[in-house]
């Protein structure tokens, strides 16, 4: 039996997610928006019977057992932690800070019987599922280098909001880079231990955002990661990632993994491979095509990955008769809240590196910082 779903968010992801959920047999019972007007408009458009701007109205809805959270990062932790606390399964986007991520991890550990996964849809894209399998089978030999390029148009909203604010989780590094950091860990089985990065905001104002308001979120980011080696590859993996969101025209999404005996490269939703000594690369997995609606705000890899993730969720819940029970197998590839904490820690290390100009270590939080730490230090000095 599939659980009833409550969706938080009225952006492009929610617009795509709801029809995908319905197509797989889920019933979407409730929608939350930042304003009654936003929620009402989208609920009417998507045929959702209940809408609200009060989060508790969705969380306490008697027919909602699965909560999908696609809202500004600064609000994610509050909703996710509360949802788990009242017994709801959770799929959510990234939080705004490592401290928020740690609180989400704590809640997920406290309620291990509930589903709690991060919504990085790239892990579910068939091209990356196949790439991971081929890497495990030794297609490229020992993994040496990962090189990622993501180029596209501006990520800013039409009006001033969280996408413009670095502190609220806006910018290319946080919005897109976090999914790449997670993907590289998923593909290689390794985690970053040192990073070096550079962030820039080339467009600080535009026709809609001007006057005293300025954009602080990055629209260009370049960073390197040294990832801990696994198996015989004791030297580790060197990763370079370039994100540029000042690019008109077609969207570029390329992930290349180079090893001792060959390379694999995912371009968009297609996977190519080439062994050392061969004359050219071969197409290993073609684009199966997208039959759903075109969504210009969501690139094809994320769109197809979202569709695959919803299918996996259906398989996970279908395996049980209880609405809130789920099977781990179909969603085993999904990132956990622990993965989300790791990714957020790397993001913050890259930001520190951009300020310091130095390589920064990635140290994952093991306990929540004392909010009164500075006050205690001050009292000691007195």
């Amino acid at each position: 039996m599939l659980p009833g779903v409550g969706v938080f968010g009225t952006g492009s992801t929610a617009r795509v997610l709801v029809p995908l959920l319905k197509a797989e047999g889920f019933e979407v019972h409730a929608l939350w928006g930042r304003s009654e007007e936003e929620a009402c408009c989208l609920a009417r458009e998507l045929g959702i019977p209940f809408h609200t701007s009060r989060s508790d109205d969705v969380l306490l809805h008697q027919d909602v057992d699965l909560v999908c959270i696609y809202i500004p990062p600064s609000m994610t932790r509050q909703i996710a932690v509360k949802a788990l606390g009242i017994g709801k399964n959770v799929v959510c986007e990234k939080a705004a800070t490592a401290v928020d991520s740690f609180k989400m991890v704590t809640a997920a550990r406290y309620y291990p019987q509930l589903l709690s996964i991060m919504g990085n849809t790239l892990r579910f894209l068939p091209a990356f599922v196949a790439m991971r399998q081929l890497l495990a089978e030794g297609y490229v030999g020992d993994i040496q280098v990962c090189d990622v390029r993501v180029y596209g148009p501006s990520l800013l909203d039409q009006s001033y909001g969280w996408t413009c604010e670095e502190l609220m989780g806006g910018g290319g590094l946080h919005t897109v880079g976090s999914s790449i950091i997670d993907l590289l860990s998923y593909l290689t089985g390794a985690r970053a231990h040192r990073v070096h990065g550079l962030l820039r905001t080339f467009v600080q104002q535009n026709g809609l955002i001007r006057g005293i308001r300025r954009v602080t979120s990055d629209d260009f980011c370049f960073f390197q990661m040294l990832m801990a080696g696994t198996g015989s590859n004791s030297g580790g993996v060197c990763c370079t990632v370039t994100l540029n969101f000042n690019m008109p025209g077609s969207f570029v999404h390329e992930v290349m993994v180079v090893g001792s005996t060959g390379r694999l490269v995912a371009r968009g939703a297609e996977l190519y491979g080439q062994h050392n000594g061969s004359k050219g690369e071969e197409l290993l997995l073609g684009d199966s095509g997208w039959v759903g609606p075109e969504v210009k705000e969501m690139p094809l890899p994320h769109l197809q990955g979202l569709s695959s993730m919803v299918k996996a969720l259906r398989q996970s819940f279908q395996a049980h008769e209880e609405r809130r029970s789920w099977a781990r197998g179909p969603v085993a590839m999904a990132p956990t809240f622990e993965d989300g904490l790791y990714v957020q820690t790397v993001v913050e290390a890259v930001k520190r590196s951009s300020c310091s100009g130095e390589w920064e270590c990635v140290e994952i939080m093991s306990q929540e910082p004392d909010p009164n730490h500075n006050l205690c230090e001050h009292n000691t000095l007195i």
Side-chain angles (χ1 to χ4, degrees):
M1 182 181 290
L2 297 179
V5 181
V7 174
F8 281 82
T10 55
S12 57
T13 303
R15 287 177 180 275
V16 179
L17 178 64
V18 171
L20 290 174
L21 286 166
K22 289 184 173 182
E24 292 299 322
F26 288 95
E27 289 189 40
V28 181
H29 292 286
L31 176 76
W32 176 93
R34 280 179 290 181
S35 69
E36 285 286 344
E37 184 181 5
E38 275 185 17
C40 178
C41 184
L42 189 60
R44 188 183 298 123
E45 179 187 327
L46 298 177
I48 301 172
F50 178 79
H51 67 270
T52 182
S53 60
R54 291 166 49 89
S55 59
D56 285 357
D57 290 347
V58 175
L59 295 175
L60 297 174
H61 195 292
Q62 63 179 7
D63 295 321
V64 170
D65 298 296
L66 171 63
V67 177
C68 299
I69 306 169
Y70 291 89
I71 54 180
S74 57
M75 303 166 66
T76 298
R77 182 266 305 164
Q78 176 187 350
I79 305 298
V81 170
K82 186 180 281 190
L84 289 171
I86 58 177
K88 310 287 184 175
N89 296 295
V90 174
V91 178
C92 73
E93 271 294 322
K94 60 198 80 66
T97 66
V99 173
D100 280 355
S101 296
F102 186 82
K103 290 177 178 177
M104 289 166 58
V105 167
T106 302
R109 287 174 180 166
Y110 200 75
Y111 303 102
Q113 75 278 14
L114 295 171
L115 175 79
S116 55
I117 61 174
M118 306 299 296
N120 182 10
T121 59
L122 290 180
R123 286 199 184 201
F124 290 88
L125 184 70
F128 290 125
V129 174
M131 179 185 273
R132 186 172 188 260
Q133 180 65 34
L134 289 167
L135 289 171
E137 293 171 357
Y139 185 97
V140 305
D142 289 336
I143 302 172
Q144 298 168 337
V145 174
C146 299
D147 185 69
V148 180
R149 297 184 305 134
V150 182
Y151 302 155
S154 173
L155 298 173
L156 300 177
D157 285 337
Q158 291 299 302
S159 58
Y160 193 88
W162 74 270
T163 59
C164 307
E165 282 280 354
E166 181 262 334
L167 291 175
M168 293 181 69
L173 173 61
H174 199 278
T175 307
V176 178
S178 57
S179 61
I180 297 298
I181 293 165
D182 176 71
L183 177 67
L184 292 176
S185 180
Y186 167 72
L187 292 173
T188 64
R191 285 191 166 187
H193 56 91
R194 295 180 67 211
V195 298
H196 190 278
L198 175 70
L199 281 72
R200 286 289 182 268
T201 305
F202 287 110
V203 178
Q204 297 183 358
Q205 293 187 325
N206 58 30
L208 297 169
I209 302 164
R210 56 183 185 272
I212 61 170
R213 293 192 183 277
R214 286 187 178 273
V215 176
T216 60
S217 56
D218 61 283
D219 51 27
F220 173 83
C221 178
F222 170 81
F223 62 95
Q224 300 163 292
M225 298 189 295
L226 295 178
M227 303 181 76
T230 56
S232 60
N233 188 14
S234 59
V237 182
C238 304
C239 299
T240 61
V241 180
T242 306
L243 312 171
N244 189 348
F245 298 100
N246 295 299
M247 297 278 287
S250 60
F251 182 83
V252 174
H253 194 283
E254 183 175 291
V255 177
M256 181 185 297
V257 180
V258 182
S260 56
T261 62
R263 66 183 174 96
L264 289 165
V265 55
R267 297 190 185 97
E270 297 182 329
L271 178 64
Y272 297 85
Q274 183 172 356
H275 290 293
N276 291 354
S278 62
K279 292 183 178 178
E281 63 183 22
E282 56 179 332
L283 176 64
L284 300 175
L285 183 69
D287 182 0
S288 58
W290 174 247
V291 294
E294 288 296 319
V295 184
K296 102 180 148 172
E297 296 92 351
M298 186 178 291
L300 188 60
H302 290 273
L303 199 56
Q304 291 191 355
L306 183 62
S307 177
S308 297
M309 185 184 79
V310 172
K311 286 181 170 64
L313 284 171
R314 174 181 56 76
Q315 293 166 4
S316 177
F317 285 105
Q318 259 186 348
H320 290 266
E321 292 184 10
E322 290 286 329
R323 287 193 310 177
R324 293 189 186 183
S325 298
W326 54 286
R328 189 169 301 277
V331 292
M333 71 182 72
T336 63
F337 281 12
E338 280 89 350
D339 293 322
L341 173 60
Y342 157 72
V343 168
Q344 189 58 41
T345 303
V346 175
V347 165
E348 293 183 7
V350 172
K351 289 181 179 181
R352 289 199 309 272
S353 174
S354 183
C355 293
S356 69
E358 304 288 339
W359 284 87
E360 296 284 343
C361 291
V362 177
E363 297 178 357
I364 298 175
M365 194 179 298
S366 58
Q367 61 182 28
E368 190 177 336
D370 183 354
N372 298 316
H373 177 67
N374 291 333
L375 182 63
C376 293
E377 279 195 343
H378 179 69
N379 289 338
T380 304
L381 291 171
I382 291 173

